[in-house]
Amino acid sequence: MSSWLVRPVDSGILTTLSDGLGISVTAARIIASRGVTTVDEARQFFKPSIEQLHDPFLFSEMGEAVKTIREAVSSGNRILVHGDYDADGICGTSILYEGLSSLGADVHYFVPDRKKDGYGMAKRISERSLEVGLGLVITVDCGSSDGDIVKELADGGIPVIVTDHHEIGERVPDARAFINAKLPGETYPFTELSGAGVAFKLLQGIEKDMGIDMKLGRLLDLVAVGTLGDYVPLVDENRSLVTLGMAELEKWERPGFAALKKECGIPATGFSARQICFTIVPRLNSPGRIGSARTVVELLTTSDAEEAAAIAGAIEDKNRQRRAHDSQVTEEACYLADIMLKRSEPNALVFSSSSWHEGVVGIGAARLAENYGVPSVLIAVCDGVGKGSVRSSGGINIRDTLEKCSKYLSAFGGHREAGGFSIKEDDIPAFNKCSNKIVGEAAGEGDGHTHIHADAEITLDECDLGLIMFIEKLAPFGPGNAEPLVMIRDLDVLEKTRIVGKHHLRLAVSDQDGRSLEMIGFSLGKSWKTWDVIGGKIDVLAHLRRNVWKGREEAQIQVTLMNQTAKPAALQEEL
């Protein structure tokens, strides 16, 4: 069972924010639901800046990392940046490659192959390190769980600097320096940086130590896309890095991103974090999911517009292949979810199939979590082994959930908002049962209920462009800073309610004050028929967004969930 709750906010905080900022109580409630309690905090929230970033030397081993890199650069040693094949790892690899190249370093990069090398560092790096004359290896978005490979490199006289952001129980002992805010005992004040974010902090450390201007602002577009691609909370430093990075991206000065913009059709200005996540990020992920991701680093680091266009075109071909797999997975998973949700109210959606491609189940899980508002797990099965991907819908710690169900898993990893695992096919039913139990306990504090939290309860009269413009100032939205969800209660469903497009429900409603307007529920027509709701009463959870049509701008209420509180009179008579 699920229940809807408005996040509680202290009345004194509401008064302070409303009076101090000159905003409505509803607007004050929405920003207070983000943890903002003072006027100064609110002003910082509205205007993220580079000054809000933490000192990179708060990492306990930043000094050793910077020293090792400076020695390698000055000695002309060959440096290898070992990245990862997802958007975060690719962007982080590009950040370090460009940053170190600007110092005149002999720097190269390596991106593992998903099928050849699996997760983490590639063993072939240690096997060929002496042959290719490596003098230093720096990892990006990996290395925390690769102690054996780090030891092999160190034993061969090749120092390794690990930069990572994944959960870790203990330091890799043979690493020359270990930069991971999640290391127990680490002194860095923010633990949710992406792999690209950690790579950027390393360059900040070098810049500060050398006392030079490395013009790191030009790399913030890569930081933003990598951070959005890894689904980390958009709070603290991440909020600043993504906001500043989106402003840098909007210049479209990097040929690789400019070429991708042409391929995916994202608007040149005014795009959202969500649009980046569903246009640019999948295209960065596609090659690594279906083949090699090395070409993506080439795309992001080239200064040649023609080369970028050619690579982007080839990536788009791979993305079409990915979309074919993605579409199949998402459609099948949504079909299964619709059936399950009509029968019961699961705490988590867990589905598996032998026809799904392991490289795209993460995309399907993300769409499922977004569409249905519950943690979602999709598992691609092949030869009795499943590769699963998990996405949170907010409020549930995915890493903790996997940890508590680990007896059913062969391997797992991840962070608060997302994770992945391997599992024997025979253990999937037990994992499904376990994950639903753990999520239910976490979401409902053990009462078996899932609570969905709205930021504010509002009236139809408050649904105007003024409130929407305020909400837009709270962007970028994502994990940890979800787009505000509002609750509107006690609405009468009018006769003009109809299905539009394929499955979209255009709701005509009125409230008890006599105000009437229309709302849109994308895909709600799959589960609600007009004759089931016209003449009845409903409560809704919705997002407020700006809609521009033929030059006319208006407020749009996009319904995500609907609860029928009274059936139409005709149906009541039948019952």
Side-chain angles (χ1 to χ4, degrees):
M1 296 293 290
S2 63
S3 56
W4 301 356
L5 302 173
V6 176
R7 297 183 193 279
V9 177
D10 182 87
S11 60
I13 292 174
L14 289 180
T15 301
T16 296
L17 294 174
S18 179
D19 293 347
L21 297 171
I23 58 178
S24 69
V25 173
T26 295
R29 181 178 290 279
I30 290 172
I31 190 171
S33 71
R34 263 113 257 274
V36 174
T37 61
T38 68
V39 172
D40 285 343
E41 287 178 1
R43 286 174 177 155
Q44 285 192 23
F45 192 92
F46 286 135
K47 292 187 177 180
S49 67
I50 201 77
E51 288 74 29
Q52 293 175 20
L53 302 186
H54 303 301
D55 184 340
F57 283 92
L58 292 175
F59 276 107
S60 58
E61 297 188 39
M62 181 62 74
E64 183 61 34
V66 169
K67 175 186 173 185
T68 301
I69 291 171
R70 290 191 63 178
E71 288 174 353
V73 173
S74 63
S75 300
N77 291 340
R78 177 168 289 187
I79 301 172
L80 181 73
V81 178
H82 185 306
D84 196 16
Y85 42 68
D86 65 4
D88 185 25
I90 288 164
C91 288
T93 300
S94 301
I95 288 165
L96 281 190
Y97 177 75
E98 283 199 9
L100 296 177
S101 294
S102 72
L103 298 176
D106 179 12
V107 60
H108 307 264
Y109 57 82
F110 172 83
V111 182
D113 184 287
R114 179 191 289 266
K115 288 192 174 180
K116 286 182 184 177
D117 303 305
Y119 297 105
M121 295 180 70
K123 186 170 178 57
R124 52 190 167 125
I125 289 299
S126 61
E127 293 171 345
R128 297 194 57 204
S129 57
L130 294 177
E131 176 187 337
V132 298
L134 294 184
L136 172 65
V137 173
I138 308 173
T139 75
V140 175
D141 196 30
C142 62
S144 291
S145 302
D146 298 300
D148 291 345
I149 295 176
V150 173
K151 185 179 189 309
E152 289 177 13
L153 288 165
D155 288 347
I158 302 169
V160 179
I161 297 171
V162 172
T163 79
D164 199 1
H165 72 118
H166 293 100
E167 301 285 348
I168 181 70
E170 60 183 10
R171 185 191 189 281
V172 175
D174 294 288
R176 176 67 61 86
F178 195 88
I179 311 294
N180 184 340
K182 288 191 171 75
L183 178 68
E186 174 57 67
T187 55
Y188 198 73
F190 181 56
T191 61
E192 299 296 337
L193 286 167
S194 65
V198 177
F200 184 78
K201 298 305 294 188
L202 179 58
L203 291 183
Q204 278 194 311
I206 295 171
E207 180 183 61
K208 183 174 182 178
D209 187 69
M210 295 182 69
I212 60 174
D213 180 7
M214 293 177 63
K215 302 193 183 309
L216 298 182
R218 63 191 169 83
L219 302 176
L220 285 168
D221 55 349
L222 293 168
V223 181
V225 174
T227 299
L228 291 172
D230 210 58
Y231 211 65
V232 292
L234 297 185
V235 298
D236 202 283
E237 271 192 305
N238 287 341
R239 177 173 172 79
S240 298
L241 289 169
V242 170
T243 302
L244 297 170
M246 287 176 65
E248 182 67 24
L249 181 62
E250 201 170 47
K251 300 175 185 176
W252 301 107
E253 293 178 351
R254 184 175 299 277
F257 281 143
L260 284 178
K261 176 175 71 70
K262 292 180 181 178
E263 293 289 348
C264 70
I266 190 171
T269 59
F271 51 82
S272 67
R274 186 175 185 275
Q275 285 174 297
I276 294 172
C277 288
F278 287 106
T279 56
I280 290 179
V281 168
R283 285 164 172 80
L284 299 185
N285 281 328
S286 289
R289 286 179 166 143
I290 296 175
S292 170
R294 181 179 176 83
T295 55
V296 189
V297 182
E298 294 172 2
L299 171 73
L300 297 181
T301 56
T302 183
S303 58
D304 186 315
E306 289 187 7
E307 181 185 13
I311 297 174
I315 286 175
E316 186 61 22
D317 289 339
K318 286 188 171 64
N319 189 56
R320 290 190 189 98
Q321 298 176 44
R322 189 274 307 167
R323 277 208 306 269
H325 293 298
D326 171 27
S327 177
Q328 175 204 356
V329 170
T330 301
E331 286 182 14
E332 289 183 9
C334 286
Y335 172 73
L336 293 171
D338 286 336
I339 293 174
M340 177 171 285
L341 290 168
K342 285 181 179 179
R343 296 173 179 170
S344 62
E345 292 192 42
N347 298 312
L349 296 171
V350 182
F351 303 120
S352 63
S353 174
S354 59
S355 66
W356 294 344
H357 191 287
E358 69 174 86
V360 297
V361 289
I363 299 168
R367 292 189 185 277
L368 218 61
E370 180 183 36
N371 290 347
Y372 297 97
V374 294
S376 299
V377 184
L378 296 186
I379 306 168
V381 179
C382 182
D383 296 329
V385 177
K387 296 292 181 69
S389 191
V390 196
R391 294 296 184 272
S392 177
S393 58
I396 299 298
N397 188 314
I398 294 303
R399 170 76 189 195
D400 287 353
T401 301
L402 292 176
E403 181 79 46
K404 291 173 181 175
C405 296
S406 59
K407 66 180 179 180
Y408 303 111
L409 306 177
S410 305
F412 69 93
H415 46 78
R416 182 177 182 84
E417 300 291 340
F421 61 86
S422 298
I423 186 172
K424 293 179 181 177
E425 184 175 9
D426 291 343
D427 288 330
I428 292 175
F431 170 76
N432 185 357
K433 185 175 180 180
C434 177
S435 59
N436 263 274
K437 179 176 181 292
I438 297 301
V439 170
E441 291 173 350
E445 299 177 346
D447 62 5
H449 285 67
T450 298
H451 299 318
I452 301 174
H453 290 88
D455 294 87
E457 182 176 346
I458 67 172
T459 65
L460 291 183
D461 199 48
E462 292 178 279
C463 300
D464 58 20
L465 284 172
L467 182 57
I468 290 171
M469 290 170 66
F470 173 82
I471 288 173
E472 289 172 347
K473 292 179 182 179
L474 306 180
F477 299 124
N481 185 44
E483 183 178 2
L485 189 66
V486 298
M487 185 189 303
I488 312 174
R489 292 186 183 274
D490 205 19
L491 299 173
D492 293 304
V493 184
L494 307 179
E495 294 235 356
K496 288 184 179 179
T497 293
R498 59 204 182 275
I499 298 294
V500 296
K502 194 172 182 181
H503 297 295
H504 310 316
L505 185 61
R506 174 75 70 179
L507 285 160
V509 299
S510 65
D511 62 16
Q512 304 313 299
D513 295 324
R515 175 73 189 275
S516 61
L517 48 69
E518 292 192 348
M519 308 172 168
I520 185 70
F522 293 113
S523 298
L524 284 185
K526 292 180 180 180
S527 50
W528 292 94
K529 305 304 179 186
T530 55
W531 55 83
D532 289 332
V533 294
I534 292 174
K537 285 184 175 292
I538 59 172
D539 298 338
V540 300
L541 292 177
H543 296 301
L544 303 183
R545 293 173 180 162
R546 189 192 306 246
N547 185 47
V548 180
W549 176 249
K550 295 184 177 180
R552 183 185 172 195
E553 194 172 72
E554 61 182 8
Q556 185 177 73
I557 304 172
Q558 295 185 8
V559 178
T560 61
L561 288 172
M562 185 169 78
N563 180 39
Q564 190 171 46
T565 57
K567 293 182 179 294
L571 286 180
Q572 290 186 38
E573 290 174 7
E574 289 178 15
L575 295 172

